[in-house]
Amino acid sequence: MSDLTEIRWHARAGQGAVTAAKLVAETALYEDRFMQAMPEYGPERTGAPLKAFTRISDEPIEVCNNIEHPGIVVVLDETLLSSTDVLEGIEPDGAVIVNSTETPEAMRKILKAPKGVTVATVDASGIALDTIKRDIPNTPIVGALVKVRPIVGRDSVDGQLLKTFGKKFAQEMIDANLESVTRAYEEVLIDG
């Protein structure tokens, strides 16, 4: 399946990675594409490391396993870098997006990212604290993701966010999340 995009998310419980994985998948569905989103939990407690997975394709998706060779890796908590090989199995022309105040060049050295892999950084936590007033970096990281790899449309993300969050949150919180997506989209730094 040549048009299959596979994303692996690394985070800690409570940072919204599962919600972000679903938001990206549901945005693809909103664009009449095929999708999957699934979490992989360890100990179910706030702060515990977790992974989530998203698949997007223009054709039906026939695999249902965890993603071992992602084209995109998203890291919501850079403290995981000391204990987890987030680049394990990444495609040679893949991309990694890290919630960090480091430059992409500095992050490339930290990750020991191979040539050919795009490295991007965004202060998703800082943006979340400024906009939604909580360190939940999931919506900002989605904004950065669609800038680095436009796998779904930027306007579609806003539309799906309005639809999904409109059922749960007050308009003020929805607006803050929309602002966080926009800021991350504009502020993400990409190497090369």
Side-chain angles (χ1 to χ4, degrees):
M1 200 178 306
S2 62
D3 71 328
L4 180 65
T5 299
E6 295 185 311
I7 307 167
R8 187 173 63 216
W9 307 76
H10 293 270
R12 295 191 182 277
Q15 293 182 310
V18 173
T19 300
K22 288 180 186 176
L23 176 64
V24 171
E26 290 170 352
T27 302
L29 184 63
Y30 178 81
E31 294 181 343
D32 292 323
R33 296 167 72 202
F34 297 91
M35 60 77 170
Q36 290 178 346
M38 59 208 139
E40 177 185 278
Y41 295 104
E44 294 186 22
R45 66 183 185 339
T46 300
L50 67 83
K51 293 178 191 172
F53 307 93
T54 306
R55 282 191 179 95
I56 298 171
S57 179
D58 292 329
E59 301 172 16
I61 300 170
E62 298 178 2
V63 292
C64 296
N65 56 334
N66 290 347
I67 294 169
E68 295 179 6
H69 300 284
I72 303 168
V73 173
V74 181
V75 182
L76 277 77
D77 190 322
E78 71 180 315
T79 66
L80 293 169
L81 300 178
S82 63
S83 61
T84 305
D85 180 6
V86 298
L87 295 184
E88 180 182 9
I90 194 166
E91 293 292 331
D93 61 347
V96 59
I97 302 142
V98 182
N99 173 16
S100 176
T101 57
E102 295 284 351
T103 66
E105 295 76 19
M107 186 56 63
R108 176 175 292 286
K109 290 177 185 171
I110 293 166
L111 292 168
K112 298 180 176 101
K115 192 173 183 173
V117 171
T118 300
V119 178
T121 59
V122 64
D123 184 10
S125 288
I127 292 169
L129 288 168
D130 283 350
T131 56
I132 65 172
K133 310 302 183 210
R134 295 177 64 198
D135 187 5
I136 303 177
N138 61 342
T139 52
I141 210 84
V142 170
L145 168 64
V146 298
K147 176 69 173 262
V148 175
R149 290 287 198 265
I151 55 172
V152 291
R154 173 67 184 80
D155 291 339
S156 296
V157 169
D158 285 354
Q160 189 59 40
L161 194 144
L162 284 166
K163 180 179 175 185
T164 303
F165 284 23
K167 300 173 190 173
K168 304 177 196 177
F169 299 112
Q171 189 62 45
E172 180 180 359
M173 183 58 74
I174 295 166
D175 292 343
N177 275 278
L178 289 168
E179 180 185 351
S180 75
V181 170
T182 299
R183 280 202 39 203
Y185 184 88
E186 293 170 353
E187 295 175 25
V188 65
L189 302 174
I190 307 167
D191 73 349

